[in-house]
Amino acid sequence: MFKRLLLPVVLLGLGSAAAKAAVYEKDSTAQKVRYVMVIHGGAGTILKSTMTPEKEAAYKAGLTKALEAGYIVLNKGGSSLDAVEAAVKVMEDNPLFNAGKGAVFTNEGRNEMDAAIMNGKTLQAGAVAGVTTVRNPITAARAVMDKSQHVMMVGAGAEKFAKQAGCEIVDPSYFYTEDRWKSLLKVRAADSSQMQLDHDSAVGKPAAKLGIENKDHKFGTVGAVAVDKQGNLAAATSTGGMTNKKFGRVGDSPIIGAGTYANNATCAISCTGWGEYFIRLVVAKTVSDLMEYKGMSVEASSAEMIMKQVPKLGGDGGLIAIDKDGNIAMPFNTAGMYRGTVTADGKIEVAIYKE
């Protein structure tokens, strides 16, 4: 949880001792903070020691801009759905984040993107996977939810639908960034070396399973969760997947209940991390179920999954969650997670490392 400064107060009509006691009362008696939006920009081995001041400032500015976009919608009385879409689109357009413009490359040198969005009021949801020409995959996911009878569309079919639905279509070259291309070349080389070692029967090592090398390159997703003035929840997640992914691999982000979920009865959740484990544990829906059926808080249920269940299977990552009362959770079991919050009064806070 972020730390907040207590503003000084002037207490009239109280003795000095009483005034001092009131001014310095414990945070537990202070007025409760109500959050309206939480976002994340991915989790992983994010260390201050390897981050330049300029890049850190750029990430924080990117997170702040996304929160501002979402807050403008919410503050005007707009829906949480519109707010999370607006926030995610900002991050999709920012090459720093692994979504949209900043999507990583597959083994074949393509950018294949996934996204999902969910309405906590109606439980309607939309998702796309493996799209390569849609500028903002989150908008395509919203179109699937609003303009079709389906929940998920993939590949060329999803792209055809997105075009018909009025989404902005771009040439695949739009998604090229030099940093992501260099990352692909680096991971390709490392994976080739690792596979060679794992297949060396002379040293008795078992053959490598596809997709377990270079674990840290799996992390990179953006997401937003929000509650609007009507008390409705929404969640949105978008990703470029993992660097060097093969054979049309799809992670948890576009899978409703695994990486994205929203239900007004409980909370809205967006996950980031090693997707295969989030799928196996149906992490987002399980957080909701723990709240609904066991009466756990959003913070306790989120921690149960991220700090206990996911690591128990060998997975890493984090999530963001918010309930209808504005209580939030942002647990992660990695070195860092790009994240930020905005409160009902517009106060924005962003963070990157464990604090």
Side-chain angles (χ1 to χ4, degrees), residues 52 65 96-97 145 180 205 214 227 247 297 308 321 334:
T52 65
K65 186 176 179 181
L96 286 174
F97 300 105
M145 179 180 72
R180 299 303 193 196
K205 291 189 176 183
N214 295 293
V227 57
F247 308 117
S297 68
K308 294 182 181 179
T334 53

Coordinates of all heavy atoms in Angstrom, one line a residue, residues 52 65 96-97 145 180 205 214 227 247 297 308 321 334:
T52 N 18.0 3.4 -15.2 CA 18.6 4.8 -15.2 C 17.5 5.7 -14.7 O 16.3 5.5 -14.8 CB 18.9 5.2 -16.6 OG1 17.7 5.3 -17.4 CG2 19.9 4.2 -17.3
K65 N 0.2 9.3 -16.8 CA -0.6 9.7 -17.9 C -1.8 8.8 -18.1 O -2.9 9.2 -18.4 CB 0.2 9.7 -19.2 CG -0.5 10.3 -20.4 CD 0.4 10.3 -21.6 CE -0.4 10.9 -22.9 NZ 0.5 10.9 -24.1
L96 N 7.2 1.9 -24.0 CA 7.9 1.4 -22.8 C 7.2 0.1 -22.3 O 7.8 -0.7 -21.6 CB 7.9 2.4 -21.7 CG 8.8 3.6 -21.8 CD1 8.6 4.6 -20.7 CD2 10.3 3.1 -21.9
F97 N 5.9 0.0 -22.6 CA 5.1 -1.1 -22.0 C 4.9 -2.2 -23.1 O 4.7 -1.9 -24.3 CB 3.8 -0.7 -21.5 CG 3.9 0.4 -20.4 CD1 3.7 1.7 -20.6 CD2 4.3 0.0 -19.1 CE1 3.8 2.7 -19.6 CE2 4.5 0.9 -18.1 CZ 4.2 2.3 -18.4
M145 N -17.0 -7.5 -27.1 CA -18.0 -7.5 -26.0 C -19.3 -6.8 -26.4 O -20.4 -7.3 -26.2 CB -17.5 -6.9 -24.7 CG -18.4 -6.9 -23.6 SD -17.7 -6.1 -22.1 CE -17.7 -4.4 -22.6
R180 N 12.8 -3.8 -28.5 CA 12.1 -5.1 -28.5 C 12.8 -6.1 -29.4 O 12.9 -7.3 -29.2 CB 10.7 -5.0 -28.8 CG 9.9 -4.1 -27.9 CD 9.9 -4.6 -26.4 NE 8.9 -3.9 -25.6 CZ 8.9 -3.9 -24.3 NH1 9.9 -4.5 -23.6 NH2 8.0 -3.3 -23.6
K205 N 21.3 -34.3 -18.4 CA 20.3 -33.3 -18.2 C 19.1 -33.7 -19.1 O 19.2 -34.1 -20.2 CB 20.8 -31.9 -18.6 CG 21.8 -31.4 -17.7 CD 22.1 -29.9 -18.0 CE 23.1 -29.3 -16.9 NZ 23.3 -27.9 -17.2
N214 N 14.6 -18.5 -20.0 CA 14.5 -17.0 -19.9 C 13.2 -16.5 -19.3 O 12.4 -15.8 -19.8 CB 14.7 -16.4 -21.3 CG 16.0 -16.6 -21.8 OD1 17.0 -16.1 -21.3 ND2 16.1 -17.5 -22.8
V227 N -13.6 1.5 -10.3 CA -15.0 1.5 -9.8 C -15.5 2.9 -10.1 O -14.8 3.9 -9.8 CB -15.0 1.2 -8.3 CG1 -14.2 2.1 -7.4 CG2 -16.5 1.2 -7.8
F247 N 4.6 -20.9 -31.8 CA 3.4 -21.7 -32.1 C 2.1 -21.0 -31.7 O 1.2 -21.7 -31.3 CB 3.6 -23.1 -31.5 CG 4.9 -23.7 -31.9 CD1 5.8 -24.1 -30.9 CD2 5.1 -24.0 -33.2 CE1 7.0 -24.7 -31.3 CE2 6.3 -24.7 -33.6 CZ 7.3 -25.0 -32.6
S297 N -11.3 -10.5 2.4 CA -11.1 -9.2 1.8 C -10.4 -9.3 0.5 O -9.8 -10.3 0.2 CB -10.4 -8.3 2.8 OG -9.0 -8.7 2.8
K308 N 1.1 -17.1 -2.2 CA 1.1 -18.5 -1.8 C 0.9 -19.5 -2.9 O 1.7 -20.3 -3.2 CB 0.0 -18.8 -0.7 CG 0.3 -18.0 0.6 CD -0.8 -18.4 1.7 CE -0.6 -17.6 3.0 NZ -1.6 -17.9 4.0
A321 N -6.2 -5.2 -7.9 CA -7.6 -5.5 -7.7 C -8.3 -4.3 -6.9 O -7.6 -3.6 -6.2 CB -7.8 -6.8 -6.9
T334 N 7.5 -10.7 -7.4 CA 8.7 -10.5 -8.2 C 9.5 -9.3 -7.5 O 9.1 -8.7 -6.6 CB 8.3 -10.1 -9.6 OG1 7.4 -9.1 -9.6 CG2 7.7 -11.4 -10.3

